[in-house]
Amino acid sequence: MKTIKLFSMSFLFGVILLSSNSLFAQDPVMVAPDIYKKVVLDNDQVRVIQIEIAPGESTPWHSHPNHVAYALTDGKIEITDKGKAPVAMDIKAGDALYIPAVTHMAKNLGLAPIKMVVTELKHPGNKKGKAPAAPAPKK
């Protein structure tokens, strides 16, 4: 009897974990390849991604490290950070936003596609990316 009960509980727990995508936000390129259209560059310092969100379209929950979003088009977007109320904002082509690491979702509230370039910063605080120190003067 205990074995059946233990097996049933384990099975139920596994089903809950597998069916709850929103519990664990994922890589945006994996969960929304129709929006995160193309990885332009991916190395040990950054990942640059072209995105396009159609009018009325929403992204599923996903996570980013610290990143910069650069708007290629004008639009109205609603961003919902995990645990916070949605925030709607108008963006203009040429706007750049720095966004700290986050789990969120986004929705295009406008009538035209929103096109952006997102640059994710890998290893924040990593000193490898800094210029080397100048050599000490020779004596």
Side-chain angles (χ1 to χ4, degrees):
M1 184 70 166
K2 283 185 177 183
T3 304
I4 292 173
K5 191 173 183 179
L6 180 61
F7 176 78
S8 297
M9 292 298 289
S10 296
F11 178 76
L12 181 61
F13 183 73
V15 168
I16 290 169
L17 280 178
L18 289 174
S19 65
S20 59
N21 267 350
S22 65
L23 283 178
F24 302 102
Q26 298 178 17
D27 185 303
V29 174
M30 300 299 287
V31 298
D34 53 325
I35 294 171
Y36 287 81
K37 303 268 186 198
K38 182 179 179 185
V39 176
V40 179
L41 173 66
D42 192 355
N43 62 32
D44 64 337
Q45 297 298 313
V46 298
R47 180 169 70 162
V48 180
I49 312 162
Q50 280 181 299
I51 71 166
E52 184 175 331
I53 308 173
E57 188 173 31
S58 295
T59 66
W61 287 104
H62 61 279
S63 295
H64 295 279
N66 296 340
H67 61 290
V68 175
Y70 180 77
L72 300 173
T73 59
D74 297 349
K76 184 169 186 116
I77 193 167
E78 179 181 81
I79 303 291
T80 306
D81 290 353
K82 199 75 161 178
K84 295 184 180 178
V87 174
M89 65 180 86
D90 292 312
I91 56 173
K92 300 286 181 204
D95 285 353
L97 304 165
Y98 171 78
I99 305 163
V102 69
T103 296
H104 67 186
M105 60 188 300
K107 181 176 184 177
N108 181 346
L109 300 177
L111 301 175
I114 294 174
K115 296 180 182 182
M116 301 182 89
V117 174
V118 172
T119 302
E120 296 177 330
L121 308 173
K122 297 180 181 181
H123 313 293
N126 185 350
K127 297 183 183 186
K128 281 188 201 177
K130 291 187 177 180
K138 293 185 179 181
K139 294 183 181 180

